[in-house]
Amino acid sequence: QVQLVESGGGLVQAGGSLRLSCAASGSTASVKAMGWYRQAPGKQRELVADITNDGTNRYADSVKGRFTISRGVAKNTVNLQMNSLKPEDTAVYYCNAGWLRPGNYWGQGTQVTVSS
């Protein structure tokens, strides 16, 4: 089993920035990729960005050029720097990890609210 602990999130005005962090613990040898998904009210959960152990990343078109995903200095951590935030970025953001993309493991979610 892998446990994911998220931090960051909160309320910010449009155009502002936030940083999300996620740390994995437990059976992390099974983790090949980590990433972030989000779910807005009434919508399906969607990929925001993910990154593999070898540094290959991918982004949703809606966040390209504004969000940056990176692996942390500490092993099995992942960060999401979110700049130029828009009201449509408002959602619960979930950390994800596992062998596949998406992986089997999910964090508890952290709320990001962008006011106009």
Side-chain angles (χ1 to χ4, degrees):
Q1 291 292 319
V2 173
Q3 295 78 43
L4 301 174
V5 178
E6 301 147 339
S7 60
L11 174 64
V12 65
Q13 289 188 334
S17 299
L18 286 173
R19 182 179 177 87
L20 305 181
S21 295
C22 176
S25 62
S27 302
T28 55
S30 64
V31 172
K32 184 179 179 181
M34 296 183 71
W36 293 92
Y37 287 70
R38 67 187 181 187
Q39 187 168 17
K43 295 188 177 181
Q44 290 188 330
R45 192 172 296 188
E46 62 177 4
L47 170 71
V48 177
D50 62 17
I51 185 167
T52 63
N53 288 350
D54 64 3
T56 302
N57 56 41
R58 57 179 183 172
Y59 294 89
D61 288 343
S62 60
V63 307
K64 284 180 181 177
R66 300 188 298 121
F67 291 11
T68 302
I69 193 168
S70 62
R71 298 302 288 264
V73 174
K75 192 177 180 180
N76 294 316
T77 61
V78 64
N79 303 307
L80 184 69
Q81 179 65 42
M82 305 185 292
N83 298 328
S84 301
L85 283 160
K86 304 175 180 180
E88 51 263 45
D89 293 317
T90 295
V92 178
Y93 284 68
Y94 295 91
C95 182
N96 176 265
W99 186 258
L100 302 174
R101 296 158 79 181
N104 292 331
Y105 304 104
W106 295 91
Q108 78 281 5
T110 186
Q111 178 70 44
V112 171
T113 302
V114 184
S115 63
S116 57

